[in-house]
Amino acid sequence: MSDTSDAQIRIDQVTDEHAGELLTLRRAAFVTEAQAYEDPFIPPLTQTLGELRADMVAPGVITLGAWDGPRLVGSVRIEIEGSKATLGRLAVAPDRQGEGIGTQMMLAVAPLLPEGVEEIWVFTGKDSKQNLAMYQQQGYEHQYDQAAGDLTYAYLRRILGEVETADDAG
């Protein structure tokens, strides 16, 4: 009997040693998104290994991974700019989607942010209903849509402290 409970998932920073595995994970995870938008040239599918490696060491960028044993099963990119953190490239291995791994990664972000970060932004395709629902369940609120070529992205924001403050007030 195999157990895929939360206890097996370890979330930690992805290092250069896992860059190839990260690139493979993202490509596998974003194929369905590319199919949904009929665009095989979305950035997660066209990024090269060299570009990924450069991004992983860029100032203000943190790449988190979710591991099940030795296997990388999820990842998220966090870019910190002043008081704002932006999440992107949230990816979960296709055979592990629907197990809560994406939610676990989202929950792991806030405690890792440096002091002074007041809000977290995330974006996804405006027609990505499942992604939008997951973000909204985590307290993110839709702010605006923005076109980028043929795609339109929905941008959502969560102010840090709002959820915790509301819980403390009760």
Side-chain angles (χ1 to χ4, degrees):
M1 181 169 147
S2 80
D3 177 20
T4 57
S5 69
D6 295 350
Q8 288 187 324
I9 301 299
R10 174 180 57 87
I11 298 180
D12 202 356
Q13 192 159 351
V14 179
T15 61
D16 186 71
E17 131 187 39
H18 297 286
E21 190 176 2
L22 175 61
L23 186 68
T24 301
L25 168 72
R26 284 184 179 169
R27 286 185 176 170
F30 278 94
V31 164
T32 52
E33 197 85 351
Q35 290 171 332
Y37 290 98
E38 299 178 358
D39 184 356
F41 302 107
I42 61 174
L45 297 182
T46 60
Q47 185 177 43
T48 67
L49 182 58
E51 291 167 344
L52 173 67
R53 284 190 155 125
D55 184 64
M56 290 174 64
V57 297
V61 173
I62 301 169
T63 304
L64 290 182
W67 276 268
D68 184 359
R71 181 180 175 208
L72 183 63
V73 295
S75 72
V76 64
R77 177 188 187 275
I78 307 155
E79 184 171 8
I80 300 164
E81 300 171 286
S83 64
K84 173 183 170 185
T86 303
L87 308 184
R89 307 269 167 108
L90 179 65
V92 175
D95 66 317
R96 299 298 300 270
Q97 292 176 5
E99 296 179 20
I101 294 169
T103 299
Q104 287 181 56
M105 285 188 298
M106 298 273 305
L107 293 172
V109 169
L112 297 174
L113 296 174
E115 195 171 318
V117 173
E118 300 170 358
E119 58 187 2
I120 304 174
W121 285 78
V122 66
F123 61 95
T124 189
K126 78 170 180 76
D127 297 325
S128 300
K129 304 296 183 211
Q130 191 173 4
N131 294 349
L132 290 167
M134 178 184 65
Y135 297 141
Q136 289 169 338
Q137 287 173 343
Q138 296 300 316
Y140 290 80
E141 295 181 1
H142 181 264
Q143 301 297 310
Y144 63 92
D145 294 336
Q146 181 175 339
D150 292 338
L151 292 177
T152 299
Y153 292 103
Y155 286 80
L156 297 90
R157 177 181 68 169
R158 178 177 155 218
I159 304 293
L160 293 176
E162 281 187 349
V163 174
E164 298 83 357
T165 304
D167 291 344
D168 292 344

